[in-house]
Amino acid sequence: MFDRRHLLRTSGAVAAGALGAAALPSPADAAGNTRLPADSDPTAGVTRTLLQEHPSPAEGWEAVQTLVQIPRHKESGRHSHPGIEVGYIIRGDVLMEFDDRPPLRLRTGDPFFIPDGVIHNARNVGTVTTMMLSTYVVDATKPLVTTY
C-alpha cells in the first residue's frame, strides 16, 4: 500500500503517474520510439491535496477528502476507488466520463456521486482550472486509486 498523503500532495507528472498516466517521459522507449514531450501528457498539472482523513464508524473503512485541481484541457486519467466518491464542482466545467454509462457534464455548483469501483475520468472542458471537492468512503486496506 502507498502513502496516501504523499500521493495526494504531489503534483504534475508524479501525481499523474499515480493515476495511470506515464511516469516522467524518457526520450525513447526500448524499441527506440520517441515519446511525446511532457507537456502533451493529458494529466500533466493535475493536483490532489489531502484535506482530511479519518477512520469511518464502519470498521476497516475510512473517509478521505481532497481538493482536486485540473488545468484547462487536462484530465484526471481513467481510475476507480475502493468505495464511493461524493463530489462537488467548486469551479469549472467537467465532462465526467465512465466506462459503463454515458458521460455527465458538470458545471460550477454541481454535485456528483461515483459508485464503488466505477471506472471514470474527469476531463476539464472549460476555460479555467477546475476545482473539485471529492470525499471518499473507502476500504482502508486498499489503495485509494486504481489506474487503468
Side-chain angles (χ1 to χ4, degrees):
M1 195 152 107
F2 60 91
D3 178 356
R4 290 183 186 181
R5 292 180 192 279
H6 176 69
L7 166 68
L8 295 169
R9 288 188 180 160
T10 56
S11 62
V14 175
L19 289 176
L24 293 173
S26 60
D29 64 17
N33 298 319
T34 303
R35 296 179 126 186
L36 295 172
D39 63 351
S40 66
D41 178 352
T43 62
V46 174
T47 61
R48 289 163 184 80
T49 304
L50 179 66
L51 300 176
Q52 55 183 327
E53 183 175 21
H54 301 281
S56 168
E59 187 174 334
W61 291 79
E62 66 181 344
V64 178
Q65 189 171 61
T66 65
L67 175 64
V68 180
Q69 296 187 67
I70 305 173
R72 291 177 53 210
H73 311 297
K74 299 296 181 176
E75 61 190 65
S76 65
R78 291 176 64 245
H79 65 282
S80 66
H81 308 284
I84 63 165
E85 177 179 358
V86 179
Y88 178 79
I89 307 298
I90 297 169
R91 176 181 74 197
D93 295 296
V94 171
L95 186 63
M96 191 69 72
E97 302 166 322
F98 304 95
D99 280 10
D100 66 345
R101 64 193 77 188
L104 179 62
R105 179 71 184 255
L106 301 166
R107 294 177 174 85
T108 300
D110 287 343
F112 62 93
F113 177 85
I114 300 175
D116 180 10
V118 169
I119 299 171
H120 58 287
N121 177 46
R123 181 183 308 274
N124 183 339
V125 294
T127 59
V128 300
T129 295
T130 293
M131 295 177 67
M132 302 186 305
L133 180 65
S134 288
T135 303
Y136 313 90
V137 179
V138 293
D139 182 334
T141 66
K142 296 181 181 177
L144 180 61
V145 176
T146 300
T147 59
Y148 301 93

